[in-house]
Amino acid sequence: MKRILALCSLYFVVLLSYADTCPQPPNGYIFRVAAWGNHADTTSQIRCHYYKRGDESIHQEIRTYDYYHEEDMKRLSNWHSSGDRYYLCTSLNTNINECVFNHR
């Protein structure tokens, strides 16, 4: 019984600490930057940008399914405004976990 309670407790801690991030890079690509906004709307998808290893002129963009509000983005410490209604999060070491965008 104690093990079940411990596992349930751990499960809920993990759920509470879960943070949305960009997906893992496609094979052969590295994550560089996530972007939110279009300078016009107060809600937008997050766009995750990946670059081909060895030839960073080749680029892929993956968009989130959910839309995020501008107010949510303002509260994220690793995200920085680069103009009206536009936020960026850049990872110099290609770590997607640096660009968390949990808005819940």
Side-chain angles (χ1 to χ4, degrees):
M1 184 63 158
K2 287 182 182 179
R3 287 184 185 169
I4 292 172
L5 289 174
L7 286 174
C8 287
S9 297
L10 180 61
Y11 175 75
F12 288 115
V13 167
V14 168
L15 281 181
L16 290 174
S17 64
Y18 177 78
D20 293 327
T21 60
C22 288
Q24 290 295 322
N27 192 26
Y29 285 77
I30 55 174
F31 172 76
R32 285 283 187 222
V33 65
W36 175 95
N38 59 11
H39 299 290
D41 299 313
T42 58
T43 60
S44 180
Q45 293 170 303
I46 291 174
R47 298 170 307 281
C48 305
H49 297 273
Y50 305 89
Y51 295 85
K52 183 85 170 166
R53 286 186 190 274
D55 184 359
E56 293 199 18
S57 66
I58 300 173
H59 167 262
Q60 278 191 13
E61 176 184 291
I62 298 175
R63 291 177 180 245
T64 59
Y65 178 78
D66 292 330
Y67 281 77
Y68 296 84
H69 297 280
E70 181 179 17
E71 291 303 314
D72 298 324
M73 303 310 293
K74 288 179 181 178
R75 292 188 284 260
L76 299 175
S77 60
N78 286 351
W79 288 75
H80 306 284
S81 176
S82 64
D84 188 37
R85 295 187 177 149
Y86 199 87
Y87 287 79
L88 290 173
C89 180
T90 303
S91 175
L92 298 177
N93 66 5
T94 71
N95 184 356
I96 62 169
N97 295 316
E98 291 180 356
C99 294
V100 172
F101 46 84
N102 186 358
H103 68 290
R104 292 167 182 87

